[in-house]
Amino acid sequence: MSTPGLAGRPATPPAAPAPELIIARMHGHARRLVWSALLLVATAGAVAYFYDNLALPWENWMLLCAAGGVILVGVVLPLVRWLTRTYTVTTRRVSVKDGFLSRSKRDLFHAGGYGIRLRRGPLQRLWGAGTITLSDGASPPLVLHDVPDAGLVHEVLADQVEMSQIQAHRDSQGFSFGHQLPPA
């Protein structure tokens, strides 16, 4: 039988680790897609204006092919790039997943501790975004580009590092949720 924990709840057994919970999952700020949206509108307007106003019928096909190429390169590829880069903050780590055909994933654990740097340009401040750089000193820095609500994400990351450090200290001292474990 376990001793009661905080607020009369039973203490968690030492062998049962706390589950990893997702705190936030996000993409870069959507303002990166503004130029793609403007290019899509301009291309559609140009095609609507020039279609059937060209001298030869095959030029209409050339116009459609050129518009398709512009939309593929200037609209679809940036959208796919934006959708395939995700940032996930959990109770244990920060994870960056990137790529479409070949996926890459990079994790940085809170328990190891890391420095957090927030950089915000004038347009990023206007939109509430920012670039967060996480550096643990051992591996290359993990960069979260153009994160929405960057100030809030910065605070959450700092809190998670602090909580992980406190938990690691308690574990190293033989405590579990404020109660000392019996000697083995």
Side-chain angles (χ1 to χ4, degrees), residues 22-89:
I22 294 175
I23 296 170
R25 183 175 290 142
M26 63 200 125
H27 298 281
H29 201 282
R31 71 179 173 84
R32 295 184 135 200
L33 300 175
V34 168
W35 292 111
S36 297
L38 291 175
L39 181 65
L40 179 64
V41 170
T43 304
V47 168
Y49 179 77
F50 287 112
Y51 193 79
D52 274 343
N53 286 332
L54 300 172
L56 300 172
W58 62 269
E59 290 176 338
N60 288 330
W61 287 104
M62 293 299 291
L63 175 69
L64 292 175
C65 289
V70 166
I71 289 173
L72 178 67
V73 172
V75 178
V76 175
L77 290 180
L79 178 64
V80 169
R81 174 80 174 137
W82 181 77
L83 285 173
T84 58
R85 176 177 281 177
T86 58
Y87 307 123
T88 306
V89 179

Side-chain angles (χ1 to χ4, degrees), residues 4 7 11 14 20 29 31 53 57 66 68 80 83 86 91 100 115 125 133 143 150 156 158-159 162 166 168 179 184:
E20 184 174 17
H29 201 282
R31 71 179 173 84
N53 286 332
V80 169
L83 285 173
T86 58
T91 53
F100 179 63
R125 281 195 306 270
T133 305
V143 181
V156 166
D159 289 344
E162 183 179 1
I166 290 170
H179 297 293

Side-chain angles (χ1 to χ4, degrees), residues 108-110 112-118 132-137 141-142 154 157-158 161:
L108 189 61
F109 290 90
H110 302 307
Y114 50 81
I116 306 168
R117 191 179 94 205
L118 173 62
I132 297 177
T133 305
L134 308 173
S135 177
D136 63 356
L142 184 64
H154 182 273
L157 291 174
V161 168

